[in-house]
Amino acid sequence: QVQLVESGGGLVQAGGSLRLSCVASGIIFGINVMGWYRQAPGKQREWVASVTGGGSTNYADSVKGRFTISRDNAKNTVYLQMNSLKPEDTAVYLCRSQLRGVRDYWGQGTQVTVSS
């Protein structure tokens, strides 16, 4: 059974930091692309960051310089370190697994709330 389970969300003051984790099971992890997405109330889901199996990263312009995505293939885990958080970062954050020839998988999400 495939599962992606996010954790690490919470309530933080503007300017603070959080580290999100996503632990995957039941999938091929070492060569897949893992990504973080977010969805705020009243908005469509947007891509935040991605990391390939080899460690290459890409970021949305809105989070460049503040967020860092990384992965630990031995632990089947992808992380999102979020620094200098802003109220507009408030959203449900979800992780996603992509692998050529295999369907995508999504986690259920973890809530991040940034107060002013």
Side-chain angles (χ1 to χ4, degrees):
Q1 187 83 326
V2 174
Q3 278 196 313
L4 301 175
V5 181
E6 301 97 334
S7 62
L11 176 63
V12 65
Q13 297 280 333
S17 298
L18 287 172
R19 190 178 79 154
L20 307 183
S21 300
C22 174
V23 180
S25 61
I27 65 171
I28 300 172
F29 190 83
I31 61 172
N32 67 350
V33 174
M34 294 295 299
W36 285 99
Y37 295 73
R38 66 187 182 187
Q39 188 163 24
K43 294 186 176 181
Q44 296 187 9
R45 187 172 297 178
E46 65 174 335
W47 168 74
V48 175
S50 298
V51 57
T52 69
S56 297
T57 60
N58 286 282
Y59 299 92
D61 288 342
S62 59
V63 306
K64 284 182 179 177
R66 301 189 297 121
F67 291 10
T68 303
I69 188 172
S70 62
R71 66 193 295 158
D72 185 337
N73 291 338
K75 297 181 178 180
N76 282 16
T77 302
V78 62
Y79 305 94
L80 186 68
Q81 178 67 45
M82 305 185 295
N83 299 326
S84 302
L85 282 162
K86 306 173 181 180
E88 50 262 47
D89 295 319
T90 295
V92 173
Y93 283 72
L94 307 98
C95 66
R96 177 193 184 189
S97 171
Q98 299 172 269
L99 181 64
R100 183 188 61 203
V102 181
R103 62 156 288 178
D104 293 351
Y105 294 98
W106 293 82
Q108 293 298 308
T110 185
Q111 176 71 48
V112 171
T113 303
V114 184
S115 62
S116 304

